[in-house]
Amino acid sequence: MYHAKRSGKNKTQVYAPHIGTKSVSEIRRDLTEAIEQEKLYLEYQPKVCTRRRKVISVEALARWEHPEFGLFMPKFWVPSLMGSNAMPRLGEWVMKTAMKDLDRMRSEGHDLWMSVNIGTDHFVSKGFISNVEAIRDELNFDPGLLEIEVTEDTLFSSEEKAVDAFNQLHDLGYRVSIDDFGRGYSNIARLANLPVDFLKIDQSIIAGASDDPRIGTIMAYTLKMAKELDCKTVAEGIETEQQAEFASRLGADCLQGYFFTPSLQVGELLNWLDAQPGSNGHPYLRETNDA
Ligand code: C2E
Ligand code: MG
Ligand code: MG
Ligand code: MG
């Protein structure tokens, strides 16, 4: 697991098992270089709508082919880049790349929208909305096709700015979602004033609910609360059919997880999508008339 030791500004050390220890400033420099040299790529993980039994959107997840370490997963480096100007660069690169790939998916007949993850500091920064709008101008897509996921700590750390960004994005027609809900310091009351499109229930709750009925109760009430606040829900980290059934039964609108597929590169994703409809497809992805 990732952990960081603080020893003064930018001297924080990042540790990952196959990597050993690196300073945060080295990682930041490497990432900026990687974006420029196109050493980063995206994978996409589908979200399945429980009612329509079809894939309605995909989430872009960054993958970094590091020259020394090989495939370097985001959980090791995203936390140490928070607050640095590598995050806005990452965010912009992800939005552009993902929206170009979405165009390809849609032109191949898949009626999907795209989610991207945006770091808290980038999301609440002054330039963020104009950043997003500039990308939309350049690539010319409908704002409803872009969903922005921010983790729940965004609401905790800079409440007013976060509320502003949520409202502005919502008014412009983008979708905005809260990721990893229930993992950290959720201040549930803040949901009351926010136009949240999707609440993504953290995978630790999904996993815990399978063997602890008390966590199951928390999950049930979280889903119920979201519904009453007019907020759609995604159950993250669905790994088994039992979890899929449990989450559907409790009213989750969407499911996402290895039970369907891990994230895939765009070509693989298109093949996977083509293989789904019909009787040989995934049991949760049957064709229905219930549009
Ligand atoms: P997230 O946005 O909550 O994404 C879900 C993570 O869980 C992904 O890990 C995904 O591969 C993994 N996952 C999906 N299904 C399952 C499952 O059934 N079981 C388990 N155990 N895991 C599952 P990944 O790609 O390593 O990303 C980790 C986190 O790093 C993401 O969590 C997100 O917070 C962050 N991240 C990833 N890409 C980006 C990015 O482009 N920008 C920013 N700012 N953050 C990113
Ligand atoms: Mg996410
Ligand atoms: Mg999450
Ligand atoms: Mg993955």
Side-chain angles (χ1 to χ4, degrees):
M1 266 312 278
Y2 154 90
H3 75 247
K5 275 189 292 194
R6 218 155 257 293
S7 57
K9 199 166 180 265
N10 283 3
K11 291 220 181 94
T12 309
Q13 305 283 290
V14 174
Y15 172 81
H18 59 302
I19 288 160
T21 304
K22 273 222 155 199
S23 74
V24 167
S25 47
E26 274 174 287
I27 303 270
R28 288 179 182 174
R29 191 203 52 218
D30 287 0
L31 181 80
T32 310
E33 215 174 81
I35 295 173
E36 277 155 17
Q37 298 174 358
E38 296 176 30
K39 297 275 167 47
L40 240 53
Y41 61 93
L42 292 176
E43 288 189 342
Y44 300 98
Q45 191 181 34
K47 292 179 194 165
V48 173
C49 169
T50 52
R51 189 175 53 85
R52 294 162 69 193
R53 294 196 167 235
K54 66 185 286 243
V55 177
I56 54 169
S57 64
V58 294
E59 175 176 2
L61 295 161
R63 297 291 177 260
W64 180 1
E65 199 55 55
H66 193 283
E68 293 163 57
F69 313 143
L71 185 60
F72 193 19
M73 296 298 276
K75 70 176 174 192
F76 294 111
W77 47 271
V78 165
S80 57
L81 294 170
M82 287 296 181
S84 79
N85 57 14
M87 282 313 276
R89 288 197 192 194
L90 174 70
E92 283 164 37
W93 177 83
V94 170
M95 284 190 275
K96 275 193 195 171
T97 309
M99 293 316 284
K100 286 180 194 161
D101 280 344
L102 180 69
D103 199 45
R104 174 166 167 206
M105 296 168 202
R106 294 179 61 82
S107 70
E108 297 201 15
H110 302 288
D111 182 17
L112 304 171
W113 76 82
M114 178 65 65
S115 298
V116 300
N117 294 284
I118 294 293
T120 298
D121 293 292
H122 187 198
F123 185 78
V124 300
S125 69
K126 242 174 102 203
F128 180 65
I129 309 278
S130 45
N131 243 195
V132 175
E133 285 282 276
I135 293 168
R136 192 180 61 79
D137 278 351
E138 183 188 329
L139 300 180
N140 192 28
F141 55 83
D142 182 309
L145 295 180
L146 176 60
E147 173 181 348
I148 291 167
E149 297 188 6
V150 289
T151 51
E152 57 178 11
D153 64 287
T154 305
L155 304 180
F156 185 74
S157 56
S158 334
E159 184 180 4
E160 261 176 54
K161 288 182 190 163
V163 171
D164 273 359
F166 263 86
N167 284 319
Q168 285 187 56
L169 288 163
H170 178 81
D171 291 348
L172 289 165
Y174 298 96
R175 300 179 211 243
V176 205
S177 303
I178 295 182
D179 206 352
D180 301 345
F181 187 78
R183 171 182 291 186
Y185 318 95
S186 306
N187 187 336
I188 291 179
R190 286 178 187 168
L191 286 177
N193 308 317
L194 281 182
V196 177
D197 289 286
F198 285 89
L199 196 64
K200 299 191 74 178
I201 317 286
D202 191 59
Q203 53 190 50
S204 60
I205 295 184
I206 307 302
S210 310
D211 30 60
D212 185 342
R214 295 173 66 88
I215 298 182
T217 301
I218 290 172
M219 182 171 149
Y221 278 87
T222 307
L223 289 166
K224 192 166 169 351
M225 172 192 73
K227 196 178 217 99
E228 293 191 6
L229 293 173
D230 271 332
C231 176
K232 297 231 183 285
T233 47
V234 180
E236 289 193 273
I238 297 284
E239 294 184 352
T240 66
E241 180 153 21
Q242 288 91 314
Q243 290 172 342
E245 264 160 25
F246 187 62
S248 310
R249 192 150 33 82
L250 296 183
D253 297 293
C254 300
L255 308 175
Q256 191 180 20
Y258 296 163
F259 176 55
F260 300 99
T261 175
S263 55
L264 301 168
Q265 291 189 52
V266 61
E268 300 167 334
L269 176 80
L270 287 166
N271 291 336
W272 183 87
L273 287 167
D274 286 337
Q276 297 315 308
S279 54
N280 296 325
H282 195 285
Y284 267 73
L285 291 163
R286 288 187 218 105
E287 280 182 283
T288 68
N289 296 321
D290 176 24

